[in-house]
Each structure stands twice: as structure tokens, then as C-alpha cells.
Amino acid sequence: MDRRSFIKHASIGGLGAAAASTLAAPAVAQTNPKVTWRLTSSFPKSLDTIYGGAEVLSKYVSEATDGNFQIQVFAAGEIVPGLQAADAAAAGTVEACHTVAYYYWGKDPTWALGAAVPFALNARGMNAWHYHGGGIDLFNEFLGTQGLVGFPGGNTGVQMGGWFRKEIKTVADMKGLKMRVGGFAGKVMERLGVVPQQLAGGDIYPALEKGTIDAAEWVGPYDDEKLGFYKVAPYYYYPGWWEGGPTVHAMFNKAAFDGLPKAYQSLLRTACQATDANMLQKYDYLNPSAIKQLVAAGAKLSPFSPEILSACFDESNKVYAEMEASNAPFKKIWESIKAFRAEYFLNAQIAEYNYDTFMMIQQRNGKI
């Protein structure tokens, strides 16, 4: 056999077959076991931003594993009610949930610290604390006692102060007000006479329409417009001082997470961080047009008065002092947030504040 014939036959029968075998079964596919999880969301499908975060997470994980790691996403109410999502994941009813930790503050106020508490950090500050200030580890130390592992999986940015059926100008106007307000903020408002109500997103509009509640906060312009609150409660206040940078979490049953291959655990952390960034970017893009549409539709946009904000700030600090004195896990995490908050807002008022303020003045003057 001559040299050319040998190379030709060797390529087809030997090296070629080996190459074909390698291409047919990539090494990465061989190391990806088949895993199928269920995830229950705290949000309705109509909210493509916040509910959509779970779908984005599922997509990233599936694509990275050639479809071998599947996370099936269920909307609030399809498996359990929205406000029971974390309970279902902890119990193993599902392997995962996509929720906001302050929904469960009634079980222990420490839950709220992983998401948002009054007058804490904005979205950028909260992410800095989570990813580089030890926040993820501190919160997981607490979540571990609940049978969960969690990672930031979204952020809405600073939220609006909510929709009111009547004008709210003074602290006195808040007394007796029945308001849907999530988590820790209700405890502060209660001291000012508000009667806090905990309702899932899909239940807010009918409660406002029937007058069962007098006011409600949800997220911000884009989501609020979708839910139609302006039709039944036209007074739209800002800012949502209790949610300067609310983190939405992807939480996983701890036993299920610990049982995953290390590569899948790492992938979940990475996919959650990508989902976290994606949600905030989407809200930042969609909210500007939504706020204009809401005002055009009749929403009456107003800031909370300095009197109301100052009263809420003072009461918040009193609540924090009480919590620190009685709840060691709360104290540990809150002291970490407080320490970073002091540094964060000191720095933010230099370049960031002055640049943003200058650009806002140009916008108001019609130059941009």
C-alpha cells in the first residue's frame, strides 16, 4: 500500500471515526446529568419583568447544560399561593422559588434584610453589599436555618410609594389608612396609624376597587400600569422609602441544592447573578415611558412630604433599635448593612449625585 492510500484509509477508518465519535458526544454533555426541578414564583405571569426573571433563570440554566438541567417555572397560585413560595421550597414541595424575602418577615424580621428594609440601600448599593460586602453569605447563614439557599435573582430599583384613593399630605392623613404594604415597612407605618395589609400582587386591584383597602404599593411605573391601579386610586406617591433597592431572590431547597454536582451549583450562582442584572436593566429601560403614560392616563404624581418622610425615618430607627436588642441574627446582618450604608451614601453624594443632578437640570431646561 502506498503512502497516499494509507493516509486516506487511515483517515476514514481510524482518525475520522474517532473524530466523529468526539463530535457526536461532546465531553460537556457527558458530564451534565439530567436534572428536572420545579420553581414556584410569587408573581403572576402578567408581570413579564418580575415573573419573567424566573423564566430568564430557567433559560440560562437550560442553555448552559444543553437542556440537561431543566427548571420548570410555575406562576403564583399554580402550585401554592404567591406568599407561600419560600415555604414550599423549604418543605421540598418544589426545589426552587422566585420571591422577595420580606414577604416572610412575620416569621422572623431577619428575612426582610436580604431584600429591602426602610431607608437602607438603593439597588446599586444593595448589589454591592450582596456581592462584595458579604451579604450573600450572611443571608445564607440565616436561610440555612430555614432549609434554604438563596442568591439575588433580580432587583426593581427604588420603588414608588404607592397608590392612594385620597391625598396624603401629613402624618395625620395616614391614620386609619388600610394599606397593602409589603414586609417590614408595615411595622413602621403601623406606628403612624396605618393598618398594614399583606396581599399578593394579583389581589391588590380588586381590593382597591372594592374599598377593602385605601392604598397599595407594588413596584413602579411599568408593573403598576399593567395592574391598572391608577383607575381606582389616582394619587401616586414617591419614593418608596421602604424599598430603595429591593432584591428578588432565587431560593433553593438546601438539600436539593447540596445534592447537585458542584458545576451545577456554580452555574446556578452565575445564572442568578445574570438574572439579577437583567431585571434591573429591564426596569430601567421600561419605567421612563411607563411613568409618562400613567400621568397621561390621569395618575396624580406627588412626592411624600418632608414631614412624612422624616416621621417614617425616625420610627424606622426606633424599630431597628428594638430588633437589634432582641434578635441576634437580625442584629448581625443589619450592622453589616448599616456600616456599608454610611460609606455608600458618603461616596454617592460626590461624583454620582452631582453628575445626575446636573443632567436632570438640563433635562428640565429642555436641553436633553
Side-chain angles (χ1 to χ4, degrees), residues 199-256:
L199 296 174
D203 299 327
I204 299 173
Y205 184 92
L208 274 174
E209 186 178 36
K210 295 173 185 175
T212 306
I213 57 175
D214 306 304
E217 62 81 30
W218 179 239
V219 175
Y222 181 71
D223 284 350
D224 290 1
E225 183 186 23
K226 278 180 167 287
L227 294 177
F229 298 143
Y230 64 93
K231 299 174 185 177
V232 289
Y235 297 97
Y236 199 21
Y237 283 88
Y238 61 89
W241 45 265
W242 51 91
E243 293 182 280
T247 298
V248 182
H249 268 83
M251 297 181 188
F252 309 106
N253 176 276
K254 191 173 187 309

Short mmCIF file of all heavy atoms in Angstrom, two decimals, residues 199-256:
data_model
loop_
_atom_site.label_atom_id
_atom_site.label_comp_id
_atom_site.label_asym_id
_atom_site.label_seq_id
_atom_site.Cartn_x
_atom_site.Cartn_y
_atom_site.Cartn_z
N LEU A 199 -50.99 41.48 50.88
CA LEU A 199 -51.73 40.89 49.76
C LEU A 199 -50.77 40.56 48.63
O LEU A 199 -49.83 41.32 48.37
CB LEU A 199 -52.80 41.86 49.23
CG LEU A 199 -53.95 42.26 50.15
CD1 LEU A 199 -54.79 43.34 49.48
CD2 LEU A 199 -54.81 41.05 50.47
N ALA A 200 -51.01 39.46 47.94
CA ALA A 200 -50.24 39.12 46.75
C ALA A 200 -50.62 40.07 45.62
O ALA A 200 -51.70 40.68 45.63
CB ALA A 200 -50.50 37.68 46.35
N GLY A 201 -49.72 40.19 44.63
CA GLY A 201 -49.91 41.16 43.56
C GLY A 201 -51.25 41.07 42.86
O GLY A 201 -51.89 42.10 42.57
N GLY A 202 -51.69 39.86 42.56
CA GLY A 202 -52.93 39.69 41.81
C GLY A 202 -54.20 40.04 42.58
O GLY A 202 -55.28 40.17 41.99
N ASP A 203 -54.07 40.21 43.91
CA ASP A 203 -55.25 40.51 44.74
C ASP A 203 -55.41 41.99 45.04
O ASP A 203 -56.39 42.40 45.65
CB ASP A 203 -55.14 39.75 46.07
CG ASP A 203 -55.09 38.24 45.88
OD1 ASP A 203 -55.72 37.76 44.92
OD2 ASP A 203 -54.42 37.56 46.67
N ILE A 204 -54.44 42.82 44.61
CA ILE A 204 -54.44 44.22 45.03
C ILE A 204 -55.54 45.03 44.34
O ILE A 204 -56.29 45.77 45.00
CB ILE A 204 -53.07 44.87 44.75
CG1 ILE A 204 -51.98 44.15 45.55
CG2 ILE A 204 -53.10 46.35 45.13
CD1 ILE A 204 -50.58 44.61 45.22
N TYR A 205 -55.66 44.90 43.02
CA TYR A 205 -56.62 45.74 42.28
C TYR A 205 -58.05 45.56 42.78
O TYR A 205 -58.74 46.55 43.08
CB TYR A 205 -56.54 45.46 40.78
CG TYR A 205 -57.44 46.37 39.97
CD1 TYR A 205 -56.95 47.56 39.46
CD2 TYR A 205 -58.77 46.03 39.74
CE1 TYR A 205 -57.78 48.41 38.73
CE2 TYR A 205 -59.60 46.87 39.02
CZ TYR A 205 -59.11 48.06 38.51
OH TYR A 205 -59.93 48.90 37.81
N PRO A 206 -58.54 44.31 42.89
CA PRO A 206 -59.93 44.17 43.37
C PRO A 206 -60.13 44.72 44.77
O PRO A 206 -61.20 45.25 45.08
CB PRO A 206 -60.18 42.66 43.31
CG PRO A 206 -58.85 42.01 43.17
CD PRO A 206 -57.97 43.01 42.49
N ALA A 207 -59.10 44.62 45.63
CA ALA A 207 -59.23 45.16 46.99
C ALA A 207 -59.32 46.69 46.96
O ALA A 207 -60.11 47.29 47.71
CB ALA A 207 -58.05 44.72 47.84
N LEU A 208 -58.55 47.32 46.09
CA LEU A 208 -58.63 48.78 45.94
C LEU A 208 -59.98 49.19 45.34
O LEU A 208 -60.61 50.15 45.78
CB LEU A 208 -57.51 49.27 45.02
CG LEU A 208 -56.15 49.58 45.64
CD1 LEU A 208 -55.14 49.92 44.54
CD2 LEU A 208 -56.23 50.73 46.64
N GLU A 209 -60.40 48.45 44.35
CA GLU A 209 -61.65 48.78 43.66
C GLU A 209 -62.85 48.70 44.58
O GLU A 209 -63.75 49.55 44.56
CB GLU A 209 -61.83 47.84 42.46
CG GLU A 209 -63.02 48.17 41.58
CD GLU A 209 -63.12 47.23 40.40
OE1 GLU A 209 -62.81 46.03 40.54
OE2 GLU A 209 -63.51 47.71 39.31
N LYS A 210 -62.86 47.68 45.44
CA LYS A 210 -63.98 47.49 46.37
C LYS A 210 -63.89 48.37 47.61
O LYS A 210 -64.84 48.47 48.37
CB LYS A 210 -64.05 46.02 46.81
CG LYS A 210 -64.36 45.04 45.68
CD LYS A 210 -64.24 43.60 46.17
CE LYS A 210 -64.45 42.61 45.04
NZ LYS A 210 -64.22 41.21 45.49
N GLY A 211 -62.72 49.01 47.81
CA GLY A 211 -62.54 49.83 49.01
C GLY A 211 -62.16 49.02 50.23
O GLY A 211 -62.18 49.53 51.35
N THR A 212 -61.80 47.75 50.01
CA THR A 212 -61.33 46.92 51.13
C THR A 212 -60.04 47.51 51.70
O THR A 212 -59.77 47.40 52.90
CB THR A 212 -61.09 45.48 50.66
OG1 THR A 212 -62.27 44.99 50.03
CG2 THR A 212 -60.73 44.58 51.83
N ILE A 213 -59.25 48.10 50.82
CA ILE A 213 -58.05 48.83 51.24
C ILE A 213 -58.12 50.24 50.65
O ILE A 213 -58.83 50.49 49.66
CB ILE A 213 -56.75 48.13 50.81
CG1 ILE A 213 -56.72 47.93 49.29
CG2 ILE A 213 -56.58 46.81 51.53
CD1 ILE A 213 -55.41 47.35 48.78
N ASP A 214 -57.38 51.16 51.27
CA ASP A 214 -57.39 52.56 50.84
C ASP A 214 -56.18 52.92 50.00
O ASP A 214 -56.18 53.95 49.32
CB ASP A 214 -57.40 53.49 52.07
CG ASP A 214 -58.55 53.16 53.02
OD1 ASP A 214 -59.71 53.18 52.55
OD2 ASP A 214 -58.28 52.88 54.20
N ALA A 215 -55.15 52.10 50.07
CA ALA A 215 -53.92 52.41 49.35
C ALA A 215 -53.14 51.11 49.15
O ALA A 215 -53.37 50.12 49.85
CB ALA A 215 -53.08 53.41 50.14
N ALA A 216 -52.20 51.16 48.21
CA ALA A 216 -51.38 49.97 47.94
C ALA A 216 -50.09 50.38 47.25
O ALA A 216 -50.07 51.26 46.40
CB ALA A 216 -52.13 48.99 47.05
N GLU A 217 -49.02 49.74 47.66
CA GLU A 217 -47.77 49.88 46.92
C GLU A 217 -47.50 48.56 46.23
O GLU A 217 -47.85 47.49 46.73
CB GLU A 217 -46.63 50.29 47.86
CG GLU A 217 -46.31 49.30 48.97
CD GLU A 217 -45.42 48.14 48.55
OE1 GLU A 217 -44.60 48.32 47.62
OE2 GLU A 217 -45.57 47.05 49.13
N TRP A 218 -46.86 48.66 45.06
CA TRP A 218 -46.45 47.44 44.39
C TRP A 218 -44.99 47.56 44.00
O TRP A 218 -44.11 47.32 44.80
CB TRP A 218 -47.37 47.13 43.21
CG TRP A 218 -46.98 45.88 42.46
CD1 TRP A 218 -46.65 45.76 41.16
CD2 TRP A 218 -46.86 44.55 43.02
NE1 TRP A 218 -46.32 44.46 40.85
CE2 TRP A 218 -46.44 43.70 41.98
CE3 TRP A 218 -47.05 44.02 44.29
CZ2 TRP A 218 -46.22 42.34 42.16
CZ3 TRP A 218 -46.82 42.66 44.48
CH2 TRP A 218 -46.42 41.84 43.42
N VAL A 219 -44.71 48.01 42.79
CA VAL A 219 -43.31 48.10 42.38
C VAL A 219 -43.01 49.51 41.88
O VAL A 219 -42.46 50.35 42.57
CB VAL A 219 -42.98 47.05 41.29
CG1 VAL A 219 -41.57 47.24 40.76
CG2 VAL A 219 -43.12 45.64 41.87
N GLY A 220 -43.39 49.76 40.62
CA GLY A 220 -43.07 51.03 39.99
C GLY A 220 -43.86 51.18 38.71
O GLY A 220 -44.75 50.38 38.42
N PRO A 221 -43.58 52.21 37.92
CA PRO A 221 -44.44 52.58 36.80
C PRO A 221 -44.81 51.45 35.84
O PRO A 221 -45.99 51.29 35.52
CB PRO A 221 -43.61 53.66 36.09
CG PRO A 221 -42.80 54.27 37.18
CD PRO A 221 -42.46 53.15 38.12
N TYR A 222 -43.83 50.66 35.39
CA TYR A 222 -44.14 49.67 34.37
C TYR A 222 -45.10 48.60 34.88
O TYR A 222 -46.13 48.32 34.24
CB TYR A 222 -42.85 49.02 33.87
CG TYR A 222 -43.09 47.98 32.78
CD1 TYR A 222 -43.49 48.37 31.50
CD2 TYR A 222 -42.94 46.62 33.03
CE1 TYR A 222 -43.73 47.43 30.51
CE2 TYR A 222 -43.16 45.68 32.05
CZ TYR A 222 -43.56 46.08 30.79
OH TYR A 222 -43.80 45.15 29.81
N ASP A 223 -44.82 48.02 36.03
CA ASP A 223 -45.70 46.99 36.58
C ASP A 223 -47.01 47.58 37.06
O ASP A 223 -48.08 46.98 36.91
CB ASP A 223 -45.01 46.27 37.74
CG ASP A 223 -43.96 45.28 37.26
OD1 ASP A 223 -43.90 45.01 36.05
OD2 ASP A 223 -43.20 44.77 38.10
N ASP A 224 -46.95 48.77 37.66
CA ASP A 224 -48.16 49.39 38.19
C ASP A 224 -49.15 49.71 37.07
O ASP A 224 -50.37 49.58 37.24
CB ASP A 224 -47.81 50.66 38.96
CG ASP A 224 -47.08 50.36 40.27
OD1 ASP A 224 -46.84 49.18 40.56
OD2 ASP A 224 -46.77 51.32 41.00
N GLU A 225 -48.62 50.14 35.94
CA GLU A 225 -49.50 50.43 34.81
C GLU A 225 -50.20 49.16 34.33
O GLU A 225 -51.40 49.17 34.03
CB GLU A 225 -48.70 51.05 33.66
CG GLU A 225 -49.58 51.44 32.46
CD GLU A 225 -48.78 51.90 31.27
OE1 GLU A 225 -47.58 51.54 31.16
OE2 GLU A 225 -49.36 52.61 30.42
N LYS A 226 -49.48 48.06 34.29
CA LYS A 226 -50.07 46.80 33.85
C LYS A 226 -51.21 46.37 34.77
O LYS A 226 -52.20 45.80 34.32
CB LYS A 226 -49.00 45.70 33.84
CG LYS A 226 -48.12 45.67 32.60
CD LYS A 226 -47.11 44.55 32.71
CE LYS A 226 -46.44 44.30 31.38
NZ LYS A 226 -47.31 43.62 30.41
N LEU A 227 -51.06 46.64 36.07
CA LEU A 227 -52.08 46.23 37.04
C LEU A 227 -53.22 47.23 37.15
O LEU A 227 -54.21 46.96 37.83
CB LEU A 227 -51.42 45.99 38.40
CG LEU A 227 -50.43 44.82 38.42
CD1 LEU A 227 -49.75 44.71 39.78
CD2 LEU A 227 -51.12 43.50 38.09
N GLY A 228 -53.09 48.39 36.53
CA GLY A 228 -54.22 49.32 36.41
C GLY A 228 -54.62 50.08 37.65
O GLY A 228 -55.75 50.56 37.75
N PHE A 229 -53.72 50.23 38.62
CA PHE A 229 -54.08 50.86 39.89
C PHE A 229 -54.59 52.30 39.72
O PHE A 229 -55.42 52.77 40.50
CB PHE A 229 -52.88 50.87 40.84
CG PHE A 229 -52.39 49.50 41.20
CD1 PHE A 229 -51.03 49.26 41.36
CD2 PHE A 229 -53.25 48.43 41.39
CE1 PHE A 229 -50.55 48.01 41.69
CE2 PHE A 229 -52.79 47.17 41.72
CZ PHE A 229 -51.43 46.96 41.87
N TYR A 230 -54.09 53.00 38.71
CA TYR A 230 -54.47 54.40 38.51
C TYR A 230 -55.97 54.58 38.27
O TYR A 230 -56.52 55.67 38.48
CB TYR A 230 -53.68 55.00 37.33
CG TYR A 230 -53.98 54.35 36.00
CD1 TYR A 230 -54.96 54.87 35.15
CD2 TYR A 230 -53.30 53.22 35.58
CE1 TYR A 230 -55.24 54.27 33.93
CE2 TYR A 230 -53.57 52.61 34.37
CZ TYR A 230 -54.55 53.15 33.54
OH TYR A 230 -54.83 52.55 32.33
N LYS A 231 -56.64 53.52 37.87
CA LYS A 231 -58.08 53.61 37.58
C LYS A 231 -58.91 53.71 38.86
O LYS A 231 -60.03 54.24 38.83
CB LYS A 231 -58.53 52.38 36.79
CG LYS A 231 -57.85 52.22 35.45
CD LYS A 231 -58.25 50.90 34.79
CE LYS A 231 -57.48 50.65 33.51
NZ LYS A 231 -57.80 49.33 32.91
N VAL A 232 -58.39 53.23 39.97
CA VAL A 232 -59.17 53.17 41.20
C VAL A 232 -58.53 53.92 42.37
O VAL A 232 -59.17 54.14 43.41
CB VAL A 232 -59.45 51.71 41.62
CG1 VAL A 232 -60.46 51.08 40.67
CG2 VAL A 232 -58.17 50.89 41.67
N ALA A 233 -57.27 54.31 42.23
CA ALA A 233 -56.57 55.05 43.29
C ALA A 233 -55.58 55.99 42.59
O ALA A 233 -54.42 55.65 42.39
CB ALA A 233 -55.84 54.10 44.23
N PRO A 234 -56.01 57.19 42.22
CA PRO A 234 -55.23 58.03 41.31
C PRO A 234 -54.01 58.73 41.89
O PRO A 234 -53.16 59.19 41.14
CB PRO A 234 -56.25 59.06 40.83
CG PRO A 234 -57.23 59.17 41.95
CD PRO A 234 -57.32 57.78 42.52
N TYR A 235 -53.91 58.83 43.21
CA TYR A 235 -52.80 59.59 43.80
C TYR A 235 -51.57 58.69 43.93
O TYR A 235 -51.57 57.71 44.69
CB TYR A 235 -53.22 60.15 45.16
CG TYR A 235 -54.38 61.13 45.03
CD1 TYR A 235 -55.69 60.71 45.27
CD2 TYR A 235 -54.15 62.45 44.65
CE1 TYR A 235 -56.76 61.60 45.12
CE2 TYR A 235 -55.21 63.35 44.51
CZ TYR A 235 -56.50 62.91 44.75
OH TYR A 235 -57.56 63.79 44.60
N TYR A 236 -50.54 59.05 43.19
CA TYR A 236 -49.33 58.21 43.05
C TYR A 236 -48.16 58.91 43.72
O TYR A 236 -47.68 59.94 43.25
CB TYR A 236 -49.06 58.01 41.57
CG TYR A 236 -48.18 56.85 41.19
CD1 TYR A 236 -47.98 55.76 42.03
CD2 TYR A 236 -47.56 56.83 39.93
CE1 TYR A 236 -47.19 54.68 41.64
CE2 TYR A 236 -46.77 55.76 39.53
CZ TYR A 236 -46.58 54.69 40.39
OH TYR A 236 -45.80 53.63 40.00
N TYR A 237 -47.72 58.34 44.83
CA TYR A 237 -46.68 59.00 45.64
C TYR A 237 -45.31 58.34 45.46
O TYR A 237 -45.20 57.18 45.06
CB TYR A 237 -47.08 58.97 47.11
CG TYR A 237 -48.13 60.02 47.44
CD1 TYR A 237 -49.49 59.74 47.30
CD2 TYR A 237 -47.76 61.30 47.84
CE1 TYR A 237 -50.45 60.69 47.56
CE2 TYR A 237 -48.72 62.27 48.12
CZ TYR A 237 -50.06 61.96 47.97
OH TYR A 237 -51.01 62.92 48.22
N TYR A 238 -44.30 59.11 45.79
CA TYR A 238 -42.91 58.64 45.71
C TYR A 238 -42.07 59.38 46.74
O TYR A 238 -42.46 60.44 47.20
CB TYR A 238 -42.34 58.85 44.30
CG TYR A 238 -42.29 60.29 43.84
CD1 TYR A 238 -41.17 61.10 44.09
CD2 TYR A 238 -43.37 60.86 43.15
CE1 TYR A 238 -41.12 62.42 43.68
CE2 TYR A 238 -43.33 62.19 42.74
CZ TYR A 238 -42.21 62.97 43.00
OH TYR A 238 -42.17 64.28 42.59
N PRO A 239 -40.92 58.81 47.15
CA PRO A 239 -40.38 57.49 46.79
C PRO A 239 -40.87 56.41 47.73
O PRO A 239 -41.39 56.71 48.81
CB PRO A 239 -38.87 57.70 46.98
CG PRO A 239 -38.80 58.61 48.17
CD PRO A 239 -39.98 59.55 48.02
N GLY A 240 -40.66 55.17 47.33
CA GLY A 240 -40.95 54.04 48.23
C GLY A 240 -39.77 53.89 49.18
O GLY A 240 -38.87 53.09 48.94
N TRP A 241 -39.79 54.66 50.25
CA TRP A 241 -38.64 54.73 51.16
C TRP A 241 -38.33 53.39 51.83
O TRP A 241 -37.24 53.19 52.37
CB TRP A 241 -38.88 55.80 52.24
CG TRP A 241 -40.25 55.77 52.85
CD1 TRP A 241 -41.33 56.51 52.47
CD2 TRP A 241 -40.69 54.97 53.95
NE1 TRP A 241 -42.43 56.22 53.25
CE2 TRP A 241 -42.06 55.28 54.17
CE3 TRP A 241 -40.08 54.02 54.77
CZ2 TRP A 241 -42.81 54.67 55.18
CZ3 TRP A 241 -40.81 53.41 55.76
CH2 TRP A 241 -42.17 53.73 55.96
N TRP A 242 -39.27 52.49 51.80
CA TRP A 242 -39.05 51.16 52.40
C TRP A 242 -38.39 50.20 51.42
O TRP A 242 -38.02 49.09 51.80
CB TRP A 242 -40.39 50.58 52.87
CG TRP A 242 -41.46 50.60 51.83
CD1 TRP A 242 -41.76 49.63 50.93
CD2 TRP A 242 -42.40 51.65 51.59
NE1 TRP A 242 -42.81 50.00 50.13
CE2 TRP A 242 -43.23 51.26 50.53
CE3 TRP A 242 -42.62 52.91 52.17
CZ2 TRP A 242 -44.25 52.06 50.03
CZ3 TRP A 242 -43.64 53.71 51.68
CH2 TRP A 242 -44.44 53.28 50.61
N GLU A 243 -38.24 50.62 50.16
CA GLU A 243 -37.67 49.72 49.15
C GLU A 243 -36.74 50.50 48.22
O GLU A 243 -37.02 50.70 47.06
CB GLU A 243 -38.78 49.04 48.36
CG GLU A 243 -39.59 48.08 49.19
CD GLU A 243 -40.66 47.36 48.39
OE1 GLU A 243 -41.72 47.95 48.14
OE2 GLU A 243 -40.42 46.21 48.02
N GLY A 244 -35.62 50.94 48.78
CA GLY A 244 -34.66 51.68 47.98
C GLY A 244 -33.99 50.81 46.92
O GLY A 244 -33.61 51.30 45.86
N GLY A 245 -33.85 49.54 47.21
CA GLY A 245 -33.22 48.62 46.25
C GLY A 245 -33.60 47.19 46.53
O GLY A 245 -32.75 46.37 46.91
N PRO A 246 -34.88 46.85 46.39
CA PRO A 246 -35.35 45.52 46.81
C PRO A 246 -34.81 44.38 45.95
O PRO A 246 -35.00 44.35 44.74
CB PRO A 246 -36.87 45.63 46.68
CG PRO A 246 -37.08 46.71 45.66
CD PRO A 246 -35.95 47.67 45.84
N THR A 247 -34.15 43.44 46.61
CA THR A 247 -33.61 42.26 45.94
C THR A 247 -34.68 41.18 45.85
O THR A 247 -35.34 40.87 46.84
CB THR A 247 -32.41 41.71 46.72
OG1 THR A 247 -31.38 42.70 46.75
CG2 THR A 247 -31.87 40.44 46.09
N VAL A 248 -34.86 40.66 44.66
CA VAL A 248 -35.69 39.47 44.44
C VAL A 248 -34.74 38.27 44.49
O VAL A 248 -33.67 38.30 43.89
CB VAL A 248 -36.41 39.54 43.09
CG1 VAL A 248 -37.30 38.32 42.89
CG2 VAL A 248 -37.21 40.83 42.97
N HIS A 249 -35.12 37.25 45.23
CA HIS A 249 -34.24 36.10 45.40
C HIS A 249 -34.72 34.87 44.64
O HIS A 249 -35.93 34.62 44.55
CB HIS A 249 -34.13 35.71 46.88
CG HIS A 249 -33.00 36.37 47.60
ND1 HIS A 249 -33.09 37.64 48.10
CD2 HIS A 249 -31.74 35.94 47.89
CE1 HIS A 249 -31.94 37.97 48.69
NE2 HIS A 249 -31.11 36.95 48.57
N ALA A 250 -33.76 34.12 44.13
CA ALA A 250 -34.00 32.73 43.74
C ALA A 250 -33.55 31.90 44.94
O ALA A 250 -32.40 32.00 45.38
CB ALA A 250 -33.21 32.36 42.51
N MET A 251 -34.48 31.16 45.50
CA MET A 251 -34.17 30.33 46.67
C MET A 251 -34.35 28.86 46.31
O MET A 251 -35.27 28.50 45.56
CB MET A 251 -35.08 30.69 47.84
CG MET A 251 -34.92 32.10 48.34
SD MET A 251 -36.01 32.44 49.76
CE MET A 251 -35.76 34.22 49.93
N PHE A 252 -33.46 28.05 46.88
CA PHE A 252 -33.45 26.63 46.56
C PHE A 252 -33.52 25.80 47.83
O PHE A 252 -32.92 26.16 48.86
CB PHE A 252 -32.18 26.28 45.79
CG PHE A 252 -31.93 27.18 44.61
CD1 PHE A 252 -30.94 28.15 44.66
CD2 PHE A 252 -32.72 27.09 43.48
CE1 PHE A 252 -30.71 29.00 43.58
CE2 PHE A 252 -32.51 27.94 42.40
CZ PHE A 252 -31.51 28.90 42.45
N ASN A 253 -34.26 24.72 47.76
CA ASN A 253 -34.28 23.77 48.87
C ASN A 253 -32.83 23.36 49.15
O ASN A 253 -32.10 22.95 48.25
CB ASN A 253 -35.12 22.55 48.50
CG ASN A 253 -35.10 21.49 49.57
OD1 ASN A 253 -34.20 20.67 49.63
ND2 ASN A 253 -36.11 21.50 50.42
N LYS A 254 -32.40 23.50 50.39
CA LYS A 254 -30.99 23.31 50.71
C LYS A 254 -30.50 21.89 50.41
O LYS A 254 -29.41 21.70 49.85
CB LYS A 254 -30.72 23.65 52.18
CG LYS A 254 -29.23 23.74 52.54
CD LYS A 254 -29.03 24.23 53.95
CE LYS A 254 -27.55 24.48 54.22
NZ LYS A 254 -26.66 23.36 53.88
N ALA A 255 -31.29 20.90 50.74
CA ALA A 255 -30.89 19.51 50.47
C ALA A 255 -30.78 19.27 48.97
O ALA A 255 -29.85 18.59 48.51
CB ALA A 255 -31.89 18.54 51.10
N ALA A 256 -31.72 19.83 48.21
CA ALA A 256 -31.68 19.67 46.75
C ALA A 256 -30.46 20.37 46.16
O ALA A 256 -29.77 19.82 45.28
CB ALA A 256 -32.96 20.20 46.12
#
